[in-house]
Amino acid sequence: MPEQSSSAARTAPGDVRTVACIGAGVIGGGWVAHFLARGYDVVAWDPAPDAEERLRALVDAAWPALQRLGLAEGASADRLRVAATLAEAVAGADFVQESAPERLDLKRDLLAEIDEAAPAGVVVGSSTSGYSMTEMQVKAARPERLVVGHPFNPPYLVPLVEVVGGDSTEDWAVSWAAEFYRVAGKEVIEMDRELPGFIGNRIQEAAWREALHMVANGEATVEQIDRSMTAGMGLRWAFFGPCLTFHLAGGEGGMAHMLDHFGPSLKSPWTRLEAPELTRELRDAMVAGTDEVVAGRSTAELIEQRDRRMIAVMRALAEVEAEEAAQAAREGGRG
Ligand SMILES: NC(=O)C1=CN([C@@H]2O[C@H](COP(=O)(O)OP(=O)(O)OC[C@H]3O[C@@H](n4cnc5c(N)ncnc54)[C@H](O)[C@@H]3O)[C@@H](O)[C@H]2O)C=CC1
Ligand SMILES: C[N+](C)(C)CC(=O)CC(=O)[O-]
């Protein structure tokens, strides 16, 4: 990590008033809706000729859901301004979120352009799905303030954002970005090191690649694959991640028993991914890490919490599905 530069953030995370969003497609538009709903002024820029029309349509479509979730004081879709140039968009920004296409060459040039135009001390977050900031910040004159702020679609509903700097990013910028995203209502994972694909995408890409293999080999249909998630583990993963879920697979014996019982299955052809050796060190690390998440709750308490939350998720889904079915019936049984 480079020496701390004399520059530090121009604005405290809690004093941000204006956010610039560069790139206003699926994700950039979702960020615009999120920041507007959290009560910020948002200035967007996107080179596409129809970008403003698309952007305002996306915000208008998202707004009812955001109103149901609860808008911040002073939040208004009217606080969106679309700038004619990138420089105009970032000139008065307290924070910049980049959401341009996932192309390394484009990100490098764009981050350098944003860096040149944005005031000193303004942190810039990239929505990149998997590039490291180290490889993206190579053309920037002031790379110390560039971080990854990887969201999940749609950013205005899915709370997670993964934050990590590059080799030329300074610690203050990573800490500032993590704190700003929290203040802006996001759930932050501040990573200790760069990892291609960060955390969430590595997990979901593993599932995604298996899904593609199964379809390619005629082993499962798209419908079966999606239903295996929505009627299976997806219900659990909304509130217990894969580790805590498998802790309960071990019953009273927890993660330790689960690994001892199902450890040999790691070598079964259940996946095309190479399994790690289940060493004693890995076993102990999984048990210790899970114990931290368990935080003293008994298996009975966890089972009760799991079942209560799963019933809540299932009831909420059933309620929405009944409303959708009734709506479809009113509309003449739309397919
Ligand atoms: N789509 C998704 O589910 C997610 C995407 N991301 C990341 O967000 C970023 C944007 O992805 P999407 O919104 O899906 O793509 P998109 O294609 O929907 O939007 C990209 C936007 O960037 C604009 N653009 C093109 N060249 C540009 C430039 N030089 N400067 C500024 N804007 C430019 C385009 O006009 C377009 O509106 C990518 O880095 C992607 O990996 C992150 C999380 C989820
Ligand atoms: C498909 N994707 C890799 C761009 C998805 C993400 O990056 C995160 C998400 O929204 O699932």
Side-chain angles (χ1 to χ4, degrees), residues 34-311:
H34 175 78
F35 288 123
L36 288 171
R38 304 312 313 149
Y40 294 96
D41 290 318
V42 179
V43 188
W45 177 79
D46 185 306
D50 64 343
E52 178 165 1
E53 179 188 355
R54 283 189 285 117
L55 173 57
R56 293 190 183 278
L58 184 154
V59 172
D60 290 347
W63 209 251
L66 292 165
Q67 287 173 308
R68 285 199 298 275
L69 278 178
L71 299 173
E73 186 179 346
S76 167
D78 296 335
R79 293 176 62 178
L80 168 60
R81 177 165 62 87
V82 178
T85 66
L86 179 152
E88 179 193 330
V90 303
D94 301 313
F95 173 72
V96 181
Q97 185 72 31
E98 172 273 315
S99 305
E102 190 72 351
R103 284 187 13 226
L104 183 56
D105 58 335
L106 187 153
K107 294 262 193 211
R108 281 176 170 161
D109 292 339
L110 178 58
L111 288 171
E113 192 179 351
I114 293 171
D115 174 50
E116 185 179 354
V122 169
V123 172
V124 180
S126 172
S127 297
T128 179
S129 292
Y131 289 126
S132 72
M133 186 43 78
T134 295
E135 58 190 336
M136 293 194 293
Q137 64 193 159
V138 294
K139 292 186 174 180
R142 293 172 292 188
E144 65 272 9
R145 44 102 168 254
L146 304 182
V147 301
V148 170
H150 172 242
F152 285 74
N153 190 32
Y156 57 83
L157 291 180
V158 182
L160 181 61
V161 61
E162 295 166 316
V163 179
V164 59
D167 286 349
S168 301
T169 304
E170 290 183 359
D171 292 349
W172 66 265
V174 178
S175 306
W176 189 97
E179 181 54 21
F180 167 66
Y181 284 124
R182 290 188 194 98
V183 167
K186 302 297 285 182
E187 171 93 25
V188 174
I189 291 180
E190 189 174 347
M191 295 180 66
D192 299 328
R193 69 180 75 175
E194 291 189 301
L195 183 65
F198 318 121
I199 298 172
N201 267 347
R202 293 186 75 86
I203 291 174
Q204 76 171 342
E205 288 284 313
W208 179 235
R209 288 172 192 192
E210 280 302 321
L212 294 173
H213 278 299
M214 286 190 273
V215 170
N217 298 335
E219 295 158 345
T221 66
V222 167
E223 188 274 337
Q224 287 172 327
I225 288 164
D226 273 7
R227 199 148 46 91
S228 77
M229 183 68 77
T230 57
M233 53 275 192
L235 286 172
R236 300 182 304 209
W237 286 352
F239 49 81
F240 278 6
C243 301
L244 197 51
T245 295
F246 277 4
H247 173 67
L248 291 184
E252 285 299 333
M255 176 58 76
H257 176 60
M258 184 272 173
L259 290 171
D260 295 341
H261 182 188
F262 299 104
S265 304
L266 277 174
K267 295 297 183 187
S268 303
W270 289 8
T271 172
R272 296 164 180 87
L273 289 175
E274 276 303 307
E277 277 310 310
L278 186 56
T279 61
R280 183 76 203 183
E281 292 72 22
L282 174 55
R283 179 188 185 280
D284 293 350
M286 287 306 299
V287 173
T290 304
D291 285 348
E292 279 180 33
V293 173
V294 168
R297 289 170 288 177
S298 69
T299 300
E301 285 172 320
L302 285 168
I303 288 172
E304 191 275 332
Q305 191 173 56
R306 175 198 65 190
D307 295 357
R308 185 171 67 244
R309 292 181 177 192
M310 196 178 298
I311 290 168

